[in-house]
Amino acid sequence: MLRSYRVLVLISLTAIAVSILAVISNVPTSTPYSPFNTGARGTSRITELISNNLIYGFNELPEGFKGTVLLVLQAELPPSEYLRVERLLSSGAQVIILDEGGYSNNLLKHLGITSSITNYVVLDEVFKYVSREYPIITSAGLKSELITYRPTYVEVSGLAKVVAESSKYSYADVDRNNYYSLGEYMRSYPIIVQSRIGDGYLTIVSDLDVISNELIDMNYGALSKLITNPTYIAIGYLGLSSTDLLKYLLTKTLPIGYRSGVEGSLIPYMITVAVSAISYYLTYRYRTLKSVKRFKSYTIICSSYVGAIATYVAFITDNPYLVIPALANFAISLFNVGSVIRYVLTATLIYYSSLSLETLLYLIPTYLLIPYLMILEPDVGLNNFVGPSTINLIKYLSLMLLVSLINLNTLLPLSLIMAVSIINCLVHYVRLYGVRVELLEVPEEVVLKGKASLLLNTYSRHTTYLALTGFSSGFFELKDYSIIRYDLPSNHLGTQNAVLNPVVMDSSCFAKRLLTPISVRYLVVPSTMKLIERLRSEVFSRRDVKDLLSGVELSFTELGSGLVGVGSEGISKVLSGLLVRGGVNVFLAELIRSLTALETEVFSDKLGSRGRLGEYVGVRPYIPGDEVRHIHWSKSLSAQKLMIKEFTASGVKDYLTGGGGLEPAVMVDLTVSDAASLDRLILTLLNVYLSLIRVSPDVKAPLVIVSNEFVLVMKGKALDVLYRLYRALSNVMPKLIYDYEPMKTEVSVEYVKNLITYSDRFRYFSKLLNANKYFAEEVVRALVMNELTPPRPITILHSDVLSVRYGLVRYELSRYGYTDVELRKLAQHIANSGGRY
């Protein structure tokens, strides 16, 4: 979001700055004979034809200047400029003064020229352009004619040379009534007079309109013979307005117009490229442009065509510098400079198209290629018909409109590219009507976080992208008839109702179209339920298996205290009290309810007591030579020394060993991070006991279930334990999974930073380590209380969130003599022992 604001602010500031410059440079001015006045009485045209080099005064001319200075006077020239003009003429420069009010007469006297400009207008009733106010003057030396408007004439004396004069039918309007009157002499009147001073020439033209926009095109041929390059136009004595002065300052700071030669060609082009690069950067910086086949060949062909048109335009306008931008563009396309050619080619096209309407028409074929050079990778956003390629190209061109604020002629090529892009979008949108996407198959049940997919039947005549919004943002490429396999999400249990919105997009991403939505309905079930169904159909439906079932012994222990219930009846009595005080989680409570109800219903005559072989008479201190298996671990822990059990019967050995050794125990901790993890944990537990009974139905494998601060122990054969789990989970598993609330608490980034920053962080981790160590010791105590004593083999199942805790538990178990058996090696461990425990 912050990045978007930065881009917005940058665009806004750029638009404001360029808008201010644009207002200044494009606001109309009406100052007579101003090079910024585009009207009939302005002189903007001559700045295009003859010179774009504007100066305010003679002090701005470079040292050793030997070209031509056009001095347009509508005010008295200050004496401080006389010496500058004299030095220019002496050094070989040519000064052309356009003055019809006599403002330069004092300068002529200073230079020793006795000629002067009168204030009488010359009219001609015969040799005229439109009326007598437009006398035609002729020049024998220039061999051409010039059209003037109400010129005055020069009184010639001395060595001054008359360059052009009016016809012999012209007359001076002495009485200023704009008509011929008696006493007004008809003769030829000098209009252009030239004098040699030093190595230069001073030319006086007694008419300002000879270079006006109205007449310059007709007079250009004759005037060009009087002018030598380089040429500067001095505008400091025209009586310029404030707007003219601001425009003049812009020509010095931002030379966008009013210049000729290499500057007049390259600077506008460089500005256009710069704006194009910035616009491209802001628009495509975070987008991935698609690689277009034959991209280099397309750009070379396009650049060659633009170069040919540029050469032609440079030839007919006699401006060889116009070819330079085309050559630079061709070099970039030839070397295939990545994304640079995209915005450079666009800027080159816009620059040449802005020169004239004729050039724009020549370049129209290249406009068709520009959209195909800026194709994006497929992306689904708003469900409208405009594709990402079209949207981004229009954004890019909208930023490029900033160029039009300075040069209005760029509006037409920019609008033309936009029009081509929109037409491309519409054409491809119509073609997308032939794409078909239909539902072929959807599964009825999906396992939680398992792989499942639906099948779609599709058809597309052209290469098309398909996205199914609603589940994921992946894309499929379609061509002809095909079948699409689309993965279904299975992260949540229960009935899933979803609506897939098929969005198709052409291969160039110009257009997209939303097809008819597809309704999908399926059920996500726990993976444990699949295994329970297998146990029902393949194991416990067999009569011979049911005949092998016997009773199990249940006990319930609270960590930190001791046994709180033994047998199904005893556990049932304490269960409600534990639930009221919140001492057991919901999953374990429901599992216990189901187990105790099952024991009462099926094997009530075999449960409710903790049977023993032999009579326990007490304990005594350990004597070297006593068997480790006779150690009374709970008394040993309390007394802080080893204590030995004493029995009155010798059958205690058979009770502990089962005739062949200690039976393995399976411990499972139900603390998980989410319902899917609980599902996987229970599924693993069932598979463990299923693998055990496959080794031998008589294998004894007690189950220890740990949940929060409580431990449930189920003693018996693996087959009996599996049967109880199967029956209990069949009743409660779906509900428990659906209603399960994660036990894992999310840790914020700030909390972690505080742990790392504060100096007592080691104290925190020390407390965490001590807490887990205390838990491990309590688990060992609970095992001993339930007579699951060392060196019993134990396999531990837990979720990933308890890896650290059960690393300590395994360590504590090994310290007390327990044997840790990996899950994947448990069945092999039993098989290697012959199945006798």
Side-chain angles (χ1 to χ4, degrees):
M1 183 65 69
L2 183 59
R3 182 180 295 170
S4 300
Y5 284 139
R6 288 177 180 174
V7 173
L8 182 61
V9 170
L10 180 60
I11 293 174
S12 301
L13 293 177
T14 305
I16 292 173
V18 174
S19 299
I20 294 174
L21 295 178
V23 170
I24 295 174
S25 61
N26 289 300
V27 67
T29 177
S30 57
T31 305
Y33 310 109
S34 168
F36 310 110
N37 182 355
T38 58
R41 286 293 178 265
T43 57
S44 60
R45 178 64 176 154
I46 194 174
T47 61
E48 300 175 8
L49 296 175
I50 298 178
S51 175
N52 281 328
N53 299 319
L54 303 179
I55 59 173
Y56 192 80
F58 291 97
N59 58 329
E60 297 181 25
L61 290 172
E63 292 292 333
F65 179 74
K66 294 183 181 298
T68 301
V69 178
L70 259 65
L71 177 60
V72 185
L73 290 181
Q74 280 197 304
E76 187 74 30
L77 192 67
S80 59
E81 297 285 5
Y82 295 172
L83 292 177
R84 291 195 178 102
V85 173
E86 185 177 4
R87 283 198 296 269
L88 277 173
L89 293 171
S90 299
S91 63
Q94 180 176 205
V95 179
I96 300 177
I97 299 177
L98 290 90
D99 176 16
E100 57 187 30
Y103 302 114
S104 60
N105 287 339
N106 291 330
L107 171 64
L108 297 179
K109 292 179 182 178
H110 173 81
L111 296 175
I113 300 174
T114 56
S115 300
S116 62
I117 302 172
T118 66
N119 289 322
Y120 299 115
V121 175
V122 176
L123 305 174
D124 197 323
E125 302 287 350
V126 180
F127 286 89
K128 59 186 178 180
Y129 170 57
V130 177
S131 64
R132 58 181 171 272
E133 294 182 329
Y134 290 87
I136 298 176
I137 63 176
T138 59
S139 171
L142 300 178
K143 299 180 181 179
S144 58
E145 297 179 343
L146 292 91
I147 300 174
T148 60
Y149 173 74
R150 298 179 62 83
T152 58
Y153 66 94
V154 181
E155 287 285 357
V156 179
S157 64
L159 300 176
K161 174 185 175 182
V162 177
V163 177
E165 58 186 359
S166 61
S167 72
K168 60 182 180 179
Y169 301 103
S170 61
Y171 56 92
D173 188 17
V174 178
D175 57 5
R176 306 183 189 279
N177 65 354
N178 209 36
Y179 292 100
Y180 175 76
S181 303
L182 292 175
E184 295 176 344
Y185 296 101
M186 286 189 179
R187 63 179 179 87
S188 296
Y189 289 89
I191 305 298
I192 301 177
V193 177
Q194 191 175 72
S195 301
R196 183 176 179 87
I197 300 177
D199 294 332
Y201 289 91
L202 176 66
T203 304
I204 302 296
V205 181
S206 60
D207 180 35
L208 275 61
D209 290 276
V210 73
I211 61 169
S212 67
N213 294 336
E214 181 184 16
L215 305 178
I216 186 60
D217 288 332
M218 294 174 282
N219 297 334
Y220 174 69
L223 290 176
S224 61
K225 298 176 181 179
L226 293 175
I227 298 173
T228 59
N229 289 324
T231 303
Y232 285 82
I233 301 178
I235 61 173
Y237 309 103
L238 279 172
L240 297 176
S241 64
S242 58
T243 302
D244 292 296
L245 293 176
L246 287 174
K247 286 175 176 285
Y248 171 70
L249 292 177
L250 280 179
T251 63
K252 297 298 183 182
T253 55
L254 292 175
I256 298 167
Y258 318 115
R259 294 204 175 187
S260 62
V262 65
E263 289 184 346
S265 300
L266 289 185
I267 293 179
Y269 174 69
M270 293 171 63
I271 293 175
T272 306
V273 172
V275 175
S276 179
I278 294 173
S279 303
Y280 182 88
Y281 174 79
L282 295 176
T283 308
Y284 292 95
R285 179 183 179 185
Y286 305 107
R287 299 283 184 174
T288 303
L289 283 158
K290 187 177 180 182
S291 57
V292 183
K293 293 182 179 179
R294 302 181 64 184
F295 177 81
K296 183 176 181 179
S297 60
Y298 286 160
T299 55
I300 290 178
I301 293 173
C302 186
S303 299
S304 300
Y305 181 79
V306 173
I309 300 300
T311 303
Y312 170 74
V313 173
F315 176 76
I316 62 175
T317 59
D318 195 22
N319 185 2
Y321 301 109
L322 286 177
V323 182
I324 296 177
L327 293 177
N329 177 74
F330 181 79
I332 294 175
S333 63
L334 188 63
F335 290 102
N336 195 22
V337 187
S339 60
V340 177
I341 185 58
R342 289 183 168 95
Y343 60 79
V344 171
L345 179 58
T346 305
T348 304
L349 186 62
I350 292 172
Y351 167 72
Y352 283 116
S353 300
S354 64
L355 297 179
S356 65
L357 180 60
E358 183 181 12
T359 308
L360 173 64
L361 296 176
Y362 290 148
L363 293 173
I364 281 181
T366 59
Y367 282 78
L368 304 177
L369 182 63
I370 294 298
Y372 289 92
L373 298 181
M374 298 189 179
I375 296 175
L376 291 174
E377 291 290 342
D379 179 24
V380 175
L382 299 175
N383 289 327
N384 51 32
F385 71 93
V386 184
S389 295
T390 303
I391 290 176
N392 270 65
L393 183 56
I394 291 178
K395 288 181 180 178
Y396 162 71
L397 294 173
S398 299
L399 293 175
M400 281 291 291
L401 287 174
L402 295 174
V403 178
S404 68
L405 296 177
I406 296 176
N407 185 1
L408 293 176
N409 293 333
T410 59
L411 273 177
L412 189 56
L414 287 170
S415 302
L416 186 57
I417 298 178
M418 285 188 180
V420 170
S421 303
I422 294 174
I423 292 173
N424 266 331
C425 176
L426 295 175
V427 170
H428 286 86
Y429 179 76
V430 172
R431 292 173 61 181
L432 291 176
Y433 271 93
V435 180
R436 295 201 306 269
V437 177
E438 300 169 348
L439 182 63
L440 185 62
E441 179 183 330
V442 61
E444 294 182 359
E445 285 188 355
V446 178
V447 175
L448 179 64
K449 287 199 172 179
K451 290 185 178 181
S453 56
L454 58 83
L455 298 180
L456 298 173
N457 189 20
T458 64
Y459 170 75
S460 176
R461 184 177 180 183
H462 307 279
T463 301
T464 307
Y465 293 113
L466 167 66
L468 298 174
T469 60
F471 281 162
S472 65
S473 57
F475 284 89
F476 302 93
E477 187 172 323
L478 309 181
K479 184 67 187 300
D480 298 327
Y481 291 97
S482 58
I483 295 178
I484 299 297
R485 183 180 297 274
Y486 186 81
D487 293 335
L488 295 173
S490 56
N491 297 326
H492 303 285
L493 290 166
T495 302
Q496 308 292 321
N497 295 305
V499 177
L500 299 179
N501 297 309
V503 178
V504 291
M505 189 180 306
D506 63 279
S507 59
S508 300
C509 301
F510 288 129
K512 58 186 176 183
R513 179 171 169 261
L514 178 63
L515 304 183
T516 304
I518 300 173
S519 298
V520 177
R521 180 186 178 91
Y522 59 97
L523 179 64
V524 178
V525 298
S527 55
T528 307
M529 297 307 298
K530 293 291 185 179
L531 181 56
I532 290 175
E533 291 296 328
R534 285 182 55 201
L535 292 175
R536 177 183 293 116
S537 61
E538 299 177 10
V539 179
F540 296 112
S541 63
R542 297 168 54 184
R543 187 174 186 85
D544 58 336
V545 174
K546 286 188 176 181
D547 291 340
L548 297 175
L549 296 175
S550 58
V552 297
E553 183 179 347
L554 296 176
S555 65
F556 195 53
T557 305
E558 183 175 9
L559 297 178
S561 60
L563 290 173
V564 295
V566 179
S568 58
E569 293 181 0
I571 295 176
S572 298
K573 291 179 181 179
V574 300
L575 182 61
S576 58
L578 293 174
L579 285 172
V580 169
R581 66 184 180 133
V584 69
N585 63 64
V586 176
F587 184 91
L588 185 59
E590 294 295 338
L591 182 62
I592 292 174
R593 284 182 187 278
S594 180
L595 287 173
T596 54
L598 179 63
E599 291 299 295
T600 303
E601 174 188 348
V602 183
F603 299 105
S604 59
D605 57 332
K606 300 179 182 179
L607 304 176
S609 65
R610 294 172 59 90
R612 288 187 174 90
L613 298 177
E615 184 178 351
Y616 172 72
V617 295
V619 296
R620 61 173 175 81
Y622 173 82
I623 299 175
D626 289 335
E627 295 186 23
V628 176
R629 68 187 65 187
H630 295 166
I631 296 176
H632 194 305
W633 290 100
S634 60
K635 296 292 185 181
S636 299
L637 291 172
S638 301
Q640 297 295 316
K641 64 180 179 179
L642 294 177
M643 306 296 291
I644 296 295
K645 300 177 185 178
E646 287 191 322
F647 296 89
T648 59
S650 60
V652 65
K653 180 177 180 179
D654 295 332
Y655 165 73
L656 289 174
T657 64
L662 293 175
E663 66 266 22
V666 177
M667 180 187 298
V668 59
D669 195 313
L670 299 179
T671 304
V672 292
S673 59
D674 52 46
S677 299
L678 179 62
D679 184 33
R680 291 193 301 270
L681 188 63
I682 299 299
L683 180 65
T684 304
L685 178 63
L686 292 176
N687 277 316
V688 167
Y689 276 91
L690 184 59
S691 65
L692 293 181
I693 66 173
R694 284 173 178 168
V695 175
S696 174
D698 296 327
V699 172
K700 292 183 179 181
L703 173 62
V704 181
I705 300 178
V706 183
S707 179
N708 288 344
E709 299 176 356
F710 297 90
V711 177
L712 174 67
V713 178
M714 190 186 312
K715 291 182 181 180
K717 295 187 298 183
L719 180 63
D720 296 315
V721 174
L722 179 61
Y723 180 72
R724 268 65 175 187
L725 290 174
Y726 149 70
R727 287 291 303 273
L729 294 174
S730 296
N731 298 329
V732 301
M733 188 62 181
K735 179 179 183 299
L736 293 180
I737 291 292
Y738 289 136
D739 298 340
Y740 182 80
E741 295 183 3
M743 300 178 187
K744 180 181 177 182
T745 303
E746 295 292 337
V747 179
S748 66
V749 177
E750 290 75 13
Y751 179 71
V752 175
K753 287 181 178 179
N754 290 336
L755 286 179
I756 298 174
T757 303
Y758 292 154
S759 59
D760 60 348
R761 59 186 181 276
F762 296 108
R763 189 182 307 167
Y764 170 83
F765 288 112
S766 176
K767 292 180 179 179
L768 181 63
L769 184 64
N770 290 334
N772 282 311
K773 185 175 181 181
Y774 172 77
F775 173 81
E777 293 174 349
E778 290 299 316
V779 169
V780 173
R781 186 184 297 275
L783 292 175
V784 173
M785 286 182 179
N786 286 276
E787 297 184 354
L788 301 176
T789 56
R792 183 181 303 276
I794 294 182
T795 296
I796 302 178
L797 306 179
H798 59 82
S799 63
D800 293 338
V801 297
L802 298 179
S803 297
V804 175
R805 166 169 286 190
Y806 275 92
L808 292 173
V809 169
R810 286 187 174 92
Y811 173 74
E812 291 296 322
L813 289 174
S814 66
R815 285 183 58 214
Y816 286 101
Y818 289 95
T819 302
D820 181 35
V821 180
E822 295 183 21
L823 173 63
R824 60 187 178 88
K825 296 180 179 180
L826 179 60
Q828 185 64 36
H829 178 79
I830 295 174
N832 293 340
S833 302
R836 294 191 54 78
Y837 288 87

